[in-house]
Amino acid sequence: MIDHARDLASVREATERLLSAAAALDNASVAEPSRLPGWSRGHVLAHVARNADALVNVLAGRPMYASAEARDTDIERDAPRPLDAQLADVRDSAAGFQAEGERPADWSRTVELRNGVTDAAARVPFRRLVEVELHHVDLGIGYELEDLDEDFVRRETDFLADRFAGHKDLPPIRLSDDRGRTWTTGGGADAEPVHVSGRAADLVGWLAGRRDGGGLKSAGAALPALPPL
């Protein structure tokens, strides 16, 4: 069972961690490159804020974004702001998400995200948690995949393995981490199965597009190239 209330509490805690860490930056370092190609730290913070607004829309039954173009335009508009404006926006938009998440609602209902993707409303807080935690790592300010909560890493690996299951460009893939956990994914391509193993942080980093898989083993086969998320 998905515990949306627990996930909302985790989102609040993760947001405070991100804000506390980002508060040590200055205006110059906010403008420096993040770990995401083509994005400054300001882009990352702007995206975190606009994603909170977008998920409020999802929970309220509105389109997540007016359009893909509007989403990108908003991030570009907000990225150059000074640190105090960035922090205030992340905090205020996060409060809006928490308030929407605390309204009485049918959490079993289906909601629509981007590109026609649907999910249970109860999973939206976890989706927000993923955004906050991974983008904290993307800021490149000392928070690493190894710092992520172990239960979060397991759940995100579950989610990503399910997302890639049956993908037409992937062979059957068996995943295993250093905690003894296993998953299967891929399988849409007619190719020999591949066993990918390694540390939990390296595995989730590879699946989430945050690491190149250099820390993983693939039993002598080439590491599959994952499609974009």
Side-chain angles (χ1 to χ4, degrees), residues 6-7 10-11 14 17 123-137 143-160 177 181 183 200-201 204-205 207-208 210:
R6 185 189 71 169
D7 287 341
S10 296
V11 170
R17 278 195 300 273
R123 199 189 296 271
V124 171
F126 182 71
R127 285 179 175 269
R128 175 60 181 171
L129 182 60
V130 171
E131 293 288 326
V132 175
E133 289 284 57
L134 293 186
H135 286 312
H136 190 170
V137 173
Y143 192 65
E144 303 295 342
L145 295 171
E146 286 78 6
D147 297 316
L148 296 171
D149 176 77
E150 184 170 340
D151 185 61
F152 171 84
V153 171
R154 176 191 60 78
R155 292 179 66 193
E156 176 64 349
T157 305
D158 288 346
F159 178 80
L160 292 170
D177 69 10
R181 298 173 296 212
W183 300 262
V204 76
L207 292 169
R210 266 64 183 185

mmCIF file of all heavy atoms in Angstrom, residues 6-7 10-11 14 17 123-137 143-160 177 181 183 200-201 204-205 207-208 210:
data_model
loop_
_atom_site.group_PDB
_atom_site.id
_atom_site.type_symbol
_atom_site.label_atom_id
_atom_site.label_comp_id
_atom_site.label_asym_id
_atom_site.label_seq_id
_atom_site.Cartn_x
_atom_site.Cartn_y
_atom_site.Cartn_z
ATOM 1 N N ARG A 6 2.610 9.542 4.725
ATOM 2 C CA ARG A 6 4.021 9.378 5.072
ATOM 3 C C ARG A 6 4.909 10.027 4.019
ATOM 4 O O ARG A 6 5.906 10.686 4.337
ATOM 5 C CB ARG A 6 4.364 7.889 5.181
ATOM 6 C CG ARG A 6 5.799 7.628 5.655
ATOM 7 C CD ARG A 6 6.188 6.179 5.538
ATOM 8 N NE ARG A 6 6.348 5.791 4.134
ATOM 9 C CZ ARG A 6 6.902 4.631 3.737
ATOM 10 N NH1 ARG A 6 7.321 3.769 4.632
ATOM 11 N NH2 ARG A 6 6.999 4.355 2.468
ATOM 12 N N ASP A 7 4.530 9.863 2.743
ATOM 13 C CA ASP A 7 5.324 10.462 1.674
ATOM 14 C C ASP A 7 5.264 11.982 1.723
ATOM 15 O O ASP A 7 6.265 12.659 1.451
ATOM 16 C CB ASP A 7 4.854 9.947 0.316
ATOM 17 C CG ASP A 7 5.276 8.507 0.064
ATOM 18 O OD1 ASP A 7 6.209 8.029 0.730
ATOM 19 O OD2 ASP A 7 4.663 7.854 -0.802
ATOM 20 N N SER A 10 7.707 12.989 4.221
ATOM 21 C CA SER A 10 9.060 12.842 3.683
ATOM 22 C C SER A 10 9.400 13.968 2.722
ATOM 23 O O SER A 10 10.541 14.446 2.684
ATOM 24 C CB SER A 10 9.202 11.492 2.968
ATOM 25 O OG SER A 10 9.055 10.421 3.872
ATOM 26 N N VAL A 11 8.419 14.406 1.930
ATOM 27 C CA VAL A 11 8.630 15.541 1.025
ATOM 28 C C VAL A 11 8.981 16.793 1.823
ATOM 29 O O VAL A 11 9.898 17.547 1.467
ATOM 30 C CB VAL A 11 7.388 15.785 0.152
ATOM 31 C CG1 VAL A 11 7.509 17.106 -0.607
ATOM 32 C CG2 VAL A 11 7.179 14.649 -0.837
ATOM 33 N N ALA A 14 12.561 16.440 3.061
ATOM 34 C CA ALA A 14 13.524 16.535 1.965
ATOM 35 C C ALA A 14 13.634 17.972 1.464
ATOM 36 O O ALA A 14 14.730 18.440 1.108
ATOM 37 C CB ALA A 14 13.119 15.607 0.821
ATOM 38 N N ARG A 17 15.796 19.913 3.808
ATOM 39 C CA ARG A 17 17.217 19.587 3.595
ATOM 40 C C ARG A 17 17.761 20.365 2.403
ATOM 41 O O ARG A 17 18.862 20.930 2.459
ATOM 42 C CB ARG A 17 17.403 18.087 3.348
ATOM 43 C CG ARG A 17 17.439 17.235 4.577
ATOM 44 C CD ARG A 17 17.988 15.855 4.282
ATOM 45 N NE ARG A 17 17.199 15.121 3.293
ATOM 46 C CZ ARG A 17 16.133 14.378 3.592
ATOM 47 N NH1 ARG A 17 15.719 14.276 4.848
ATOM 48 N NH2 ARG A 17 15.478 13.732 2.634
ATOM 49 N N ARG A 123 0.244 8.183 -5.429
ATOM 50 C CA ARG A 123 1.658 8.109 -5.776
ATOM 51 C C ARG A 123 2.271 9.486 -6.042
ATOM 52 O O ARG A 123 3.499 9.621 -6.123
ATOM 53 C CB ARG A 123 1.873 7.203 -6.984
ATOM 54 C CG ARG A 123 3.320 6.712 -7.128
ATOM 55 C CD ARG A 123 3.534 5.990 -8.453
ATOM 56 N NE ARG A 123 2.755 4.787 -8.531
ATOM 57 C CZ ARG A 123 3.184 3.599 -8.111
ATOM 58 N NH1 ARG A 123 4.369 3.486 -7.554
ATOM 59 N NH2 ARG A 123 2.428 2.537 -8.231
ATOM 60 N N VAL A 124 1.443 10.518 -6.164
ATOM 61 C CA VAL A 124 1.957 11.846 -6.493
ATOM 62 C C VAL A 124 2.935 12.365 -5.440
ATOM 63 O O VAL A 124 3.981 12.920 -5.791
ATOM 64 C CB VAL A 124 0.800 12.828 -6.746
ATOM 65 C CG1 VAL A 124 1.314 14.264 -6.868
ATOM 66 C CG2 VAL A 124 0.050 12.429 -8.017
ATOM 67 N N PRO A 125 2.667 12.213 -4.133
ATOM 68 C CA PRO A 125 3.675 12.664 -3.167
ATOM 69 C C PRO A 125 5.033 11.981 -3.344
ATOM 70 O O PRO A 125 6.077 12.632 -3.163
ATOM 71 C CB PRO A 125 3.031 12.335 -1.814
ATOM 72 C CG PRO A 125 1.566 12.443 -2.086
ATOM 73 C CD PRO A 125 1.405 11.858 -3.455
ATOM 74 N N PHE A 126 5.041 10.693 -3.685
ATOM 75 C CA PHE A 126 6.333 10.045 -3.918
ATOM 76 C C PHE A 126 7.001 10.610 -5.163
ATOM 77 O O PHE A 126 8.228 10.809 -5.190
ATOM 78 C CB PHE A 126 6.188 8.533 -4.047
ATOM 79 C CG PHE A 126 7.514 7.830 -4.247
ATOM 80 C CD1 PHE A 126 8.423 7.736 -3.213
ATOM 81 C CD2 PHE A 126 7.857 7.297 -5.486
ATOM 82 C CE1 PHE A 126 9.665 7.118 -3.389
ATOM 83 C CE2 PHE A 126 9.081 6.676 -5.678
ATOM 84 C CZ PHE A 126 9.996 6.588 -4.623
ATOM 85 N N ARG A 127 6.216 10.886 -6.193
ATOM 86 C CA ARG A 127 6.791 11.515 -7.387
ATOM 87 C C ARG A 127 7.437 12.856 -7.024
ATOM 88 O O ARG A 127 8.502 13.203 -7.536
ATOM 89 C CB ARG A 127 5.727 11.699 -8.459
ATOM 90 C CG ARG A 127 5.327 10.407 -9.184
ATOM 91 C CD ARG A 127 4.247 10.680 -10.210
ATOM 92 N NE ARG A 127 3.911 9.505 -11.015
ATOM 93 C CZ ARG A 127 4.473 9.184 -12.168
ATOM 94 N NH1 ARG A 127 5.423 9.959 -12.662
ATOM 95 N NH2 ARG A 127 4.095 8.111 -12.847
ATOM 96 N N ARG A 128 6.791 13.613 -6.162
ATOM 97 C CA ARG A 128 7.374 14.873 -5.719
ATOM 98 C C ARG A 128 8.643 14.627 -4.914
ATOM 99 O O ARG A 128 9.641 15.353 -5.061
ATOM 100 C CB ARG A 128 6.353 15.660 -4.876
ATOM 101 C CG ARG A 128 6.892 16.940 -4.256
ATOM 102 C CD ARG A 128 7.383 17.937 -5.282
ATOM 103 N NE ARG A 128 7.909 19.148 -4.654
ATOM 104 C CZ ARG A 128 8.554 20.107 -5.288
ATOM 105 N NH1 ARG A 128 8.776 20.000 -6.597
ATOM 106 N NH2 ARG A 128 8.991 21.173 -4.644
ATOM 107 N N LEU A 129 8.644 13.612 -4.082
ATOM 108 C CA LEU A 129 9.837 13.282 -3.302
ATOM 109 C C LEU A 129 11.011 12.968 -4.214
ATOM 110 O O LEU A 129 12.150 13.385 -3.959
ATOM 111 C CB LEU A 129 9.539 12.099 -2.380
ATOM 112 C CG LEU A 129 10.661 11.641 -1.453
ATOM 113 C CD1 LEU A 129 11.090 12.758 -0.509
ATOM 114 C CD2 LEU A 129 10.228 10.401 -0.660
ATOM 115 N N VAL A 130 10.754 12.244 -5.292
ATOM 116 C CA VAL A 130 11.806 11.936 -6.263
ATOM 117 C C VAL A 130 12.383 13.220 -6.839
ATOM 118 O O VAL A 130 13.614 13.379 -6.960
ATOM 119 C CB VAL A 130 11.261 11.028 -7.377
ATOM 120 C CG1 VAL A 130 12.284 10.883 -8.504
ATOM 121 C CG2 VAL A 130 10.887 9.655 -6.823
ATOM 122 N N GLU A 131 11.517 14.148 -7.209
ATOM 123 C CA GLU A 131 11.983 15.417 -7.769
ATOM 124 C C GLU A 131 12.887 16.159 -6.783
ATOM 125 O O GLU A 131 13.956 16.654 -7.160
ATOM 126 C CB GLU A 131 10.781 16.294 -8.130
ATOM 127 C CG GLU A 131 9.935 15.775 -9.269
ATOM 128 C CD GLU A 131 10.619 15.917 -10.618
ATOM 129 O OE1 GLU A 131 11.355 16.904 -10.817
ATOM 130 O OE2 GLU A 131 10.413 15.040 -11.478
ATOM 131 N N VAL A 132 12.460 16.254 -5.550
ATOM 132 C CA VAL A 132 13.228 17.013 -4.566
ATOM 133 C C VAL A 132 14.563 16.329 -4.273
ATOM 134 O O VAL A 132 15.626 16.980 -4.269
ATOM 135 C CB VAL A 132 12.413 17.197 -3.274
ATOM 136 C CG1 VAL A 132 13.265 17.877 -2.193
ATOM 137 C CG2 VAL A 132 11.155 18.025 -3.548
ATOM 138 N N GLU A 133 14.534 15.024 -4.053
ATOM 139 C CA GLU A 133 15.764 14.316 -3.672
ATOM 140 C C GLU A 133 16.784 14.279 -4.815
ATOM 141 O O GLU A 133 17.969 14.577 -4.617
ATOM 142 C CB GLU A 133 15.421 12.897 -3.217
ATOM 143 C CG GLU A 133 14.698 12.822 -1.871
ATOM 144 C CD GLU A 133 15.617 13.053 -0.688
ATOM 145 O OE1 GLU A 133 16.275 14.126 -0.615
ATOM 146 O OE2 GLU A 133 15.696 12.155 0.166
ATOM 147 N N LEU A 134 16.352 13.906 -6.008
ATOM 148 C CA LEU A 134 17.310 13.790 -7.111
ATOM 149 C C LEU A 134 17.826 15.153 -7.548
ATOM 150 O O LEU A 134 19.012 15.302 -7.890
ATOM 151 C CB LEU A 134 16.690 13.036 -8.285
ATOM 152 C CG LEU A 134 16.386 11.558 -8.036
ATOM 153 C CD1 LEU A 134 15.916 10.891 -9.329
ATOM 154 C CD2 LEU A 134 17.601 10.811 -7.477
ATOM 155 N N HIS A 135 16.976 16.167 -7.535
ATOM 156 C CA HIS A 135 17.460 17.491 -7.932
ATOM 157 C C HIS A 135 18.350 18.111 -6.856
ATOM 158 O O HIS A 135 19.206 18.953 -7.183
ATOM 159 C CB HIS A 135 16.295 18.395 -8.295
ATOM 160 C CG HIS A 135 15.681 18.033 -9.623
ATOM 161 N ND1 HIS A 135 16.447 17.829 -10.755
ATOM 162 C CD2 HIS A 135 14.388 17.838 -10.004
ATOM 163 C CE1 HIS A 135 15.659 17.523 -11.765
ATOM 164 N NE2 HIS A 135 14.405 17.514 -11.332
ATOM 165 N N HIS A 136 18.182 17.704 -5.605
ATOM 166 C CA HIS A 136 19.153 18.110 -4.580
ATOM 167 C C HIS A 136 20.534 17.559 -4.956
ATOM 168 O O HIS A 136 21.540 18.288 -4.895
ATOM 169 C CB HIS A 136 18.700 17.584 -3.217
ATOM 170 C CG HIS A 136 19.481 18.124 -2.067
ATOM 171 N ND1 HIS A 136 19.098 17.924 -0.751
ATOM 172 C CD2 HIS A 136 20.647 18.833 -1.998
ATOM 173 C CE1 HIS A 136 19.971 18.505 0.052
ATOM 174 N NE2 HIS A 136 20.919 19.046 -0.673
ATOM 175 N N VAL A 137 20.575 16.313 -5.362
ATOM 176 C CA VAL A 137 21.838 15.726 -5.833
ATOM 177 C C VAL A 137 22.358 16.494 -7.050
ATOM 178 O O VAL A 137 23.554 16.790 -7.161
ATOM 179 C CB VAL A 137 21.647 14.230 -6.163
ATOM 180 C CG1 VAL A 137 22.909 13.655 -6.810
ATOM 181 C CG2 VAL A 137 21.279 13.440 -4.911
ATOM 182 N N TYR A 143 25.382 16.815 -1.538
ATOM 183 C CA TYR A 143 24.381 15.776 -1.278
ATOM 184 C C TYR A 143 24.473 14.768 -2.409
ATOM 185 O O TYR A 143 24.318 15.129 -3.585
ATOM 186 C CB TYR A 143 22.993 16.410 -1.229
ATOM 187 C CG TYR A 143 21.882 15.526 -0.691
ATOM 188 C CD1 TYR A 143 21.886 15.082 0.625
ATOM 189 C CD2 TYR A 143 20.798 15.170 -1.494
ATOM 190 C CE1 TYR A 143 20.856 14.294 1.126
ATOM 191 C CE2 TYR A 143 19.756 14.392 -1.001
ATOM 192 C CZ TYR A 143 19.792 13.961 0.309
ATOM 193 O OH TYR A 143 18.760 13.183 0.810
ATOM 194 N N GLU A 144 24.746 13.512 -2.067
ATOM 195 C CA GLU A 144 25.027 12.499 -3.079
ATOM 196 C C GLU A 144 23.986 11.384 -3.041
ATOM 197 O O GLU A 144 23.225 11.247 -2.071
ATOM 198 C CB GLU A 144 26.425 11.916 -2.856
ATOM 199 C CG GLU A 144 27.537 12.946 -2.857
ATOM 200 C CD GLU A 144 27.718 13.637 -4.206
ATOM 201 O OE1 GLU A 144 27.239 13.102 -5.225
ATOM 202 O OE2 GLU A 144 28.344 14.712 -4.232
ATOM 203 N N LEU A 145 23.992 10.568 -4.066
ATOM 204 C CA LEU A 145 23.082 9.423 -4.111
ATOM 205 C C LEU A 145 23.283 8.516 -2.900
ATOM 206 O O LEU A 145 22.332 7.904 -2.414
ATOM 207 C CB LEU A 145 23.281 8.641 -5.403
ATOM 208 C CG LEU A 145 22.913 9.370 -6.701
ATOM 209 C CD1 LEU A 145 23.374 8.560 -7.912
ATOM 210 C CD2 LEU A 145 21.409 9.626 -6.773
ATOM 211 N N GLU A 146 24.503 8.441 -2.419
ATOM 212 C CA GLU A 146 24.796 7.623 -1.238
ATOM 213 C C GLU A 146 24.123 8.165 0.020
ATOM 214 O O GLU A 146 23.997 7.440 1.006
ATOM 215 C CB GLU A 146 26.301 7.535 -1.024
ATOM 216 C CG GLU A 146 27.034 6.638 -2.009
ATOM 217 C CD GLU A 146 27.261 7.272 -3.367
ATOM 218 O OE1 GLU A 146 26.951 8.480 -3.534
ATOM 219 O OE2 GLU A 146 27.750 6.570 -4.277
ATOM 220 N N ASP A 147 23.720 9.426 0.001
ATOM 221 C CA ASP A 147 23.066 10.035 1.166
ATOM 222 C C ASP A 147 21.565 9.791 1.189
ATOM 223 O O ASP A 147 20.909 10.100 2.195
ATOM 224 C CB ASP A 147 23.326 11.544 1.182
ATOM 225 C CG ASP A 147 24.792 11.888 1.336
ATOM 226 O OD1 ASP A 147 25.447 11.254 2.185
ATOM 227 O OD2 ASP A 147 25.275 12.768 0.605
ATOM 228 N N LEU A 148 21.014 9.267 0.119
ATOM 229 C CA LEU A 148 19.578 9.046 0.049
ATOM 230 C C LEU A 148 19.141 7.937 1.005
ATOM 231 O O LEU A 148 19.872 6.958 1.213
ATOM 232 C CB LEU A 148 19.166 8.671 -1.380
ATOM 233 C CG LEU A 148 19.396 9.738 -2.449
ATOM 234 C CD1 LEU A 148 19.153 9.149 -3.833
ATOM 235 C CD2 LEU A 148 18.505 10.946 -2.214
ATOM 236 N N ASP A 149 17.960 8.095 1.555
ATOM 237 C CA ASP A 149 17.392 7.083 2.444
ATOM 238 C C ASP A 149 17.282 5.748 1.718
ATOM 239 O O ASP A 149 16.882 5.687 0.553
ATOM 240 C CB ASP A 149 16.007 7.547 2.908
ATOM 241 C CG ASP A 149 15.312 6.525 3.756
ATOM 242 O OD1 ASP A 149 15.655 6.396 4.938
ATOM 243 O OD2 ASP A 149 14.396 5.844 3.216
ATOM 244 N N GLU A 150 17.624 4.668 2.414
ATOM 245 C CA GLU A 150 17.649 3.350 1.769
ATOM 246 C C GLU A 150 16.280 2.927 1.263
ATOM 247 O O GLU A 150 16.160 2.338 0.185
ATOM 248 C CB GLU A 150 18.195 2.303 2.745
ATOM 249 C CG GLU A 150 18.349 0.933 2.116
ATOM 250 C CD GLU A 150 19.111 -0.046 2.980
ATOM 251 O OE1 GLU A 150 19.841 0.391 3.881
ATOM 252 O OE2 GLU A 150 18.964 -1.257 2.737
ATOM 253 N N ASP A 151 15.233 3.227 2.014
ATOM 254 C CA ASP A 151 13.897 2.870 1.553
ATOM 255 C C ASP A 151 13.523 3.664 0.316
ATOM 256 O O ASP A 151 12.897 3.138 -0.611
ATOM 257 C CB ASP A 151 12.862 3.111 2.654
ATOM 258 C CG ASP A 151 11.473 2.629 2.248
ATOM 259 O OD1 ASP A 151 11.324 1.411 1.998
ATOM 260 O OD2 ASP A 151 10.549 3.464 2.160
ATOM 261 N N PHE A 152 13.925 4.929 0.250
ATOM 262 C CA PHE A 152 13.689 5.728 -0.946
ATOM 263 C C PHE A 152 14.397 5.114 -2.152
ATOM 264 O O PHE A 152 13.819 5.012 -3.243
ATOM 265 C CB PHE A 152 14.165 7.168 -0.742
ATOM 266 C CG PHE A 152 14.152 7.981 -2.003
ATOM 267 C CD1 PHE A 152 12.992 8.594 -2.440
ATOM 268 C CD2 PHE A 152 15.305 8.113 -2.771
ATOM 269 C CE1 PHE A 152 12.971 9.330 -3.617
ATOM 270 C CE2 PHE A 152 15.291 8.844 -3.950
ATOM 271 C CZ PHE A 152 14.123 9.455 -4.370
ATOM 272 N N VAL A 153 15.650 4.720 -1.978
ATOM 273 C CA VAL A 153 16.405 4.122 -3.084
ATOM 274 C C VAL A 153 15.715 2.857 -3.578
ATOM 275 O O VAL A 153 15.584 2.634 -4.790
ATOM 276 C CB VAL A 153 17.856 3.828 -2.651
ATOM 277 C CG1 VAL A 153 18.586 3.002 -3.710
ATOM 278 C CG2 VAL A 153 18.601 5.133 -2.396
ATOM 279 N N ARG A 154 15.252 2.029 -2.651
ATOM 280 C CA ARG A 154 14.551 0.805 -3.064
ATOM 281 C C ARG A 154 13.293 1.144 -3.847
ATOM 282 O O ARG A 154 13.037 0.567 -4.912
ATOM 283 C CB ARG A 154 14.175 -0.025 -1.829
ATOM 284 C CG ARG A 154 13.356 -1.278 -2.170
ATOM 285 C CD ARG A 154 12.768 -1.921 -0.935
ATOM 286 N NE ARG A 154 11.872 -1.046 -0.197
ATOM 287 C CZ ARG A 154 10.611 -0.784 -0.560
ATOM 288 N NH1 ARG A 154 10.104 -1.313 -1.656
ATOM 289 N NH2 ARG A 154 9.867 0.009 0.183
ATOM 290 N N ARG A 155 12.502 2.073 -3.354
ATOM 291 C CA ARG A 155 11.245 2.420 -4.021
ATOM 292 C C ARG A 155 11.479 3.071 -5.381
ATOM 293 O O ARG A 155 10.747 2.806 -6.339
ATOM 294 C CB ARG A 155 10.417 3.341 -3.134
ATOM 295 C CG ARG A 155 9.883 2.666 -1.885
ATOM 296 C CD ARG A 155 9.102 3.644 -1.038
ATOM 297 N NE ARG A 155 7.878 4.088 -1.714
ATOM 298 C CZ ARG A 155 7.148 5.126 -1.315
ATOM 299 N NH1 ARG A 155 7.528 5.837 -0.253
ATOM 300 N NH2 ARG A 155 6.065 5.463 -1.976
ATOM 301 N N GLU A 156 12.498 3.915 -5.474
ATOM 302 C CA GLU A 156 12.785 4.542 -6.762
ATOM 303 C C GLU A 156 13.311 3.509 -7.759
ATOM 304 O O GLU A 156 12.985 3.575 -8.955
ATOM 305 C CB GLU A 156 13.789 5.684 -6.575
ATOM 306 C CG GLU A 156 14.239 6.350 -7.853
ATOM 307 C CD GLU A 156 13.167 7.072 -8.646
ATOM 308 O OE1 GLU A 156 11.950 6.917 -8.346
ATOM 309 O OE2 GLU A 156 13.523 7.793 -9.599
ATOM 310 N N THR A 157 14.100 2.552 -7.287
ATOM 311 C CA THR A 157 14.543 1.474 -8.180
ATOM 312 C C THR A 157 13.352 0.638 -8.630
ATOM 313 O O THR A 157 13.248 0.261 -9.807
ATOM 314 C CB THR A 157 15.601 0.602 -7.491
ATOM 315 O OG1 THR A 157 16.677 1.428 -7.027
ATOM 316 C CG2 THR A 157 16.157 -0.442 -8.445
ATOM 317 N N ASP A 158 12.434 0.338 -7.716
ATOM 318 C CA ASP A 158 11.191 -0.354 -8.090
ATOM 319 C C ASP A 158 10.474 0.406 -9.206
ATOM 320 O O ASP A 158 10.048 -0.173 -10.208
ATOM 321 C CB ASP A 158 10.226 -0.436 -6.888
ATOM 322 C CG ASP A 158 10.657 -1.405 -5.807
ATOM 323 O OD1 ASP A 158 11.559 -2.231 -6.053
ATOM 324 O OD2 ASP A 158 10.082 -1.323 -4.703
ATOM 325 N N PHE A 159 10.327 1.711 -8.997
ATOM 326 C CA PHE A 159 9.581 2.555 -9.927
ATOM 327 C C PHE A 159 10.239 2.584 -11.307
ATOM 328 O O PHE A 159 9.577 2.437 -12.340
ATOM 329 C CB PHE A 159 9.477 3.977 -9.361
ATOM 330 C CG PHE A 159 8.761 4.942 -10.253
ATOM 331 C CD1 PHE A 159 7.383 4.974 -10.309
ATOM 332 C CD2 PHE A 159 9.475 5.828 -11.045
ATOM 333 C CE1 PHE A 159 6.721 5.875 -11.137
ATOM 334 C CE2 PHE A 159 8.824 6.728 -11.874
ATOM 335 C CZ PHE A 159 7.440 6.745 -11.920
ATOM 336 N N LEU A 160 11.564 2.762 -11.334
ATOM 337 C CA LEU A 160 12.259 2.863 -12.609
ATOM 338 C C LEU A 160 12.329 1.517 -13.316
ATOM 339 O O LEU A 160 12.219 1.454 -14.554
ATOM 340 C CB LEU A 160 13.662 3.435 -12.389
ATOM 341 C CG LEU A 160 13.680 4.897 -11.933
ATOM 342 C CD1 LEU A 160 15.082 5.300 -11.496
ATOM 343 C CD2 LEU A 160 13.172 5.818 -13.033
ATOM 344 N N ASP A 177 21.320 -5.517 -6.441
ATOM 345 C CA ASP A 177 22.157 -4.566 -5.719
ATOM 346 C C ASP A 177 22.895 -5.243 -4.574
ATOM 347 O O ASP A 177 22.748 -6.457 -4.340
ATOM 348 C CB ASP A 177 21.340 -3.357 -5.243
ATOM 349 C CG ASP A 177 20.343 -3.688 -4.130
ATOM 350 O OD1 ASP A 177 20.392 -4.804 -3.571
ATOM 351 O OD2 ASP A 177 19.508 -2.823 -3.810
ATOM 352 N N ARG A 181 18.799 -7.330 -3.183
ATOM 353 C CA ARG A 181 17.509 -7.121 -3.839
ATOM 354 C C ARG A 181 17.646 -7.305 -5.340
ATOM 355 O O ARG A 181 18.704 -7.007 -5.912
ATOM 356 C CB ARG A 181 16.985 -5.716 -3.522
ATOM 357 C CG ARG A 181 16.741 -5.505 -2.031
ATOM 358 C CD ARG A 181 16.392 -4.075 -1.701
ATOM 359 N NE ARG A 181 17.465 -3.141 -1.988
ATOM 360 C CZ ARG A 181 17.688 -2.026 -1.283
ATOM 361 N NH1 ARG A 181 16.900 -1.710 -0.267
ATOM 362 N NH2 ARG A 181 18.682 -1.212 -1.603
ATOM 363 N N TRP A 183 15.546 -7.155 -9.332
ATOM 364 C CA TRP A 183 14.442 -6.663 -10.156
ATOM 365 C C TRP A 183 14.624 -7.202 -11.570
ATOM 366 O O TRP A 183 15.719 -7.597 -11.963
ATOM 367 C CB TRP A 183 14.451 -5.137 -10.245
ATOM 368 C CG TRP A 183 14.319 -4.388 -8.980
ATOM 369 C CD1 TRP A 183 13.189 -3.835 -8.444
ATOM 370 C CD2 TRP A 183 15.370 -4.065 -8.052
ATOM 371 N NE1 TRP A 183 13.457 -3.191 -7.263
ATOM 372 C CE2 TRP A 183 14.795 -3.314 -6.992
ATOM 373 C CE3 TRP A 183 16.745 -4.321 -8.018
ATOM 374 C CZ2 TRP A 183 15.539 -2.833 -5.927
ATOM 375 C CZ3 TRP A 183 17.495 -3.853 -6.945
ATOM 376 C CH2 TRP A 183 16.890 -3.123 -5.917
ATOM 377 N N ALA A 200 23.699 -0.134 -4.508
ATOM 378 C CA ALA A 200 22.359 0.417 -4.670
ATOM 379 C C ALA A 200 22.395 1.830 -5.228
ATOM 380 O O ALA A 200 21.604 2.187 -6.113
ATOM 381 C CB ALA A 200 21.620 0.387 -3.329
ATOM 382 N N ALA A 201 23.314 2.665 -4.744
ATOM 383 C CA ALA A 201 23.396 4.046 -5.222
ATOM 384 C C ALA A 201 23.798 4.102 -6.692
ATOM 385 O O ALA A 201 23.262 4.916 -7.458
ATOM 386 C CB ALA A 201 24.398 4.836 -4.374
ATOM 387 N N VAL A 204 20.612 2.852 -8.849
ATOM 388 C CA VAL A 204 19.541 3.835 -9.004
ATOM 389 C C VAL A 204 20.047 5.049 -9.783
ATOM 390 O O VAL A 204 19.297 5.651 -10.563
ATOM 391 C CB VAL A 204 18.946 4.237 -7.640
ATOM 392 C CG1 VAL A 204 19.860 5.182 -6.876
ATOM 393 C CG2 VAL A 204 17.564 4.847 -7.812
ATOM 394 N N GLY A 205 21.325 5.396 -9.606
ATOM 395 C CA GLY A 205 21.881 6.506 -10.366
ATOM 396 C C GLY A 205 21.889 6.234 -11.854
ATOM 397 O O GLY A 205 21.584 7.124 -12.663
ATOM 398 N N LEU A 207 19.859 4.063 -13.489
ATOM 399 C CA LEU A 207 18.461 4.016 -13.949
ATOM 400 C C LEU A 207 17.862 5.415 -14.061
ATOM 401 O O LEU A 207 17.054 5.683 -14.953
ATOM 402 C CB LEU A 207 17.620 3.170 -13.000
ATOM 403 C CG LEU A 207 17.905 1.665 -12.973
ATOM 404 C CD1 LEU A 207 17.179 1.015 -11.802
ATOM 405 C CD2 LEU A 207 17.513 1.002 -14.291
ATOM 406 N N ALA A 208 18.271 6.307 -13.160
ATOM 407 C CA ALA A 208 17.716 7.659 -13.130
ATOM 408 C C ALA A 208 18.491 8.639 -14.006
ATOM 409 O O ALA A 208 18.183 9.831 -14.011
ATOM 410 C CB ALA A 208 17.681 8.177 -11.691
ATOM 411 N N ARG A 210 21.582 9.590 -13.667
ATOM 412 C CA ARG A 210 22.522 10.418 -12.900
ATOM 413 C C ARG A 210 23.931 9.846 -12.908
ATOM 414 O O ARG A 210 24.861 10.534 -12.500
ATOM 415 C CB ARG A 210 22.045 10.564 -11.454
ATOM 416 C CG ARG A 210 21.216 11.805 -11.199
ATOM 417 C CD ARG A 210 19.907 11.828 -11.947
ATOM 418 N NE ARG A 210 19.181 13.076 -11.712
ATOM 419 C CZ ARG A 210 17.962 13.300 -12.176
ATOM 420 N NH1 ARG A 210 17.336 12.391 -12.900
ATOM 421 N NH2 ARG A 210 17.378 14.468 -11.958
#
